[in-house]
Amino acid sequence: VVRRGELSDIADTALRRITRDVRTALPNSIRTTTAGNVKYLEYLQTGGGGRYRAEPDSSGAGNILNFVAADASFDVIGPMPTLAAGNSIVIYNLSPTGSTANAYSGDNRAAYSSSTATTITLSAAKLFPFQSPGKRFQVVEYAVTYACDPSSTGGTGVLRRYWNYAIVDPQPTPPSGGSNAVLARNISDCNFTYTTSSASARTSILALNLSVAQSGETVYLFQQAHVSNVP
């Protein structure tokens, strides 16, 4: 009874952590793949966001974000999000693949340089490919990967979390650089299934399957996480 309780706790803690993390993912940044027996789940971690100025104010003043020519700074409408060195500004991310509106490839992602109470400055002028219908931008902190390597004999596999490595395309398996830590041990089986639930892919479901085994006993847990992909 004690062993089964411990196995259930291992699986439940791991799934809760993944579910909590993906709710802060950049819209349309979740991607999954398999390399050998290892299952990979990756997303871009956001630390907040806001609305950029698209039009001058009533007096004709204001630093708008230009979508006709490359622009290095813009005003924020409303509260300024928390920003730090190494962050990126992403506007209207539509896909984790391809070369258009994909933050992994970088066409809609620009490195943050500095900010004042009202203005964000980028490290270099950037021409973003598309305007956001809601005039929104997201602050990306870093990429995160969950790598699940189940044991072929059962009960010796690990679930590992990687973070703060370089954002690259295609999906790294495994990522290099950054940090990593073991989230769960005794993994005997796992699966990540990501399904978009509408033609516009504005809402999606991430299904997580995890099996933990020890001393001939196995606990199976399944959990689903709703993912909002409104960019």
Side-chain angles (χ1 to χ4, degrees):
V1 172
V2 171
R3 183 186 301 118
R4 291 187 65 82
E6 291 174 346
L7 295 179
S8 297
D9 186 60
I10 290 171
D12 184 60
T13 299
L15 293 181
R16 286 179 183 272
R17 175 61 186 270
I18 297 173
T19 300
R20 184 183 67 191
D21 273 4
V22 298
R23 286 175 178 156
T24 64
L26 176 73
N28 302 301
S29 71
I30 292 177
R31 56 186 183 178
T32 61
T33 192
T34 301
N37 290 328
V38 185
K39 313 293 178 60
Y40 292 93
L41 166 68
E42 186 179 33
Y43 69 93
L44 297 180
Q45 175 80 48
T46 62
R51 296 181 183 271
Y52 59 83
R53 179 177 291 280
E55 300 290 343
D57 62 21
S58 58
S59 65
N63 185 357
I64 67 169
L65 179 57
N66 198 329
F67 285 88
V68 177
D71 200 348
S73 64
F74 60 89
D75 285 348
V76 174
I77 304 299
M80 178 67 68
T82 301
L83 293 150
N87 287 172
S88 300
I89 303 299
V90 175
I91 294 177
Y92 207 48
N93 194 60
L94 296 179
S95 176
T97 61
S99 58
T100 304
N102 173 13
Y104 289 107
S105 64
D107 71 317
N108 62 346
R109 173 170 54 88
Y112 161 77
S113 176
S114 62
S115 60
T116 65
T118 58
T119 303
I120 290 176
T121 299
L122 308 176
S123 62
K126 178 77 174 181
L127 176 58
F128 291 93
F130 300 116
Q131 298 186 49
S132 164
K135 317 305 179 188
R136 288 188 292 266
F137 68 90
Q138 279 90 26
V139 178
V140 169
E141 296 179 331
Y142 44 73
V144 175
T145 287
Y146 282 96
C148 185
D149 186 2
S151 167
S152 58
T153 57
T156 59
V158 297
L159 174 62
R160 187 178 297 272
R161 185 179 189 266
Y162 297 81
W163 72 96
N164 204 24
Y165 54 88
I167 299 174
V168 296
D169 196 34
Q171 186 173 353
T173 56
S176 60
S179 303
N180 71 86
V182 174
L183 181 62
R185 299 185 186 275
N186 301 318
I187 305 300
S188 61
D189 193 18
C190 56
N191 195 40
F192 305 129
T193 305
Y194 183 61
T195 306
T196 55
S197 57
S198 66
S200 61
R202 291 297 182 258
T203 59
S204 300
I205 296 293
L206 176 64
L208 307 166
N209 294 273
L210 194 63
S211 301
V212 186
Q214 188 179 43
S215 301
E217 292 197 77
T218 303
V219 170
Y220 304 91
L221 264 73
F222 171 77
Q223 187 161 314
Q224 289 183 322
H226 172 264
V227 180
S228 175
N229 280 326
V230 179

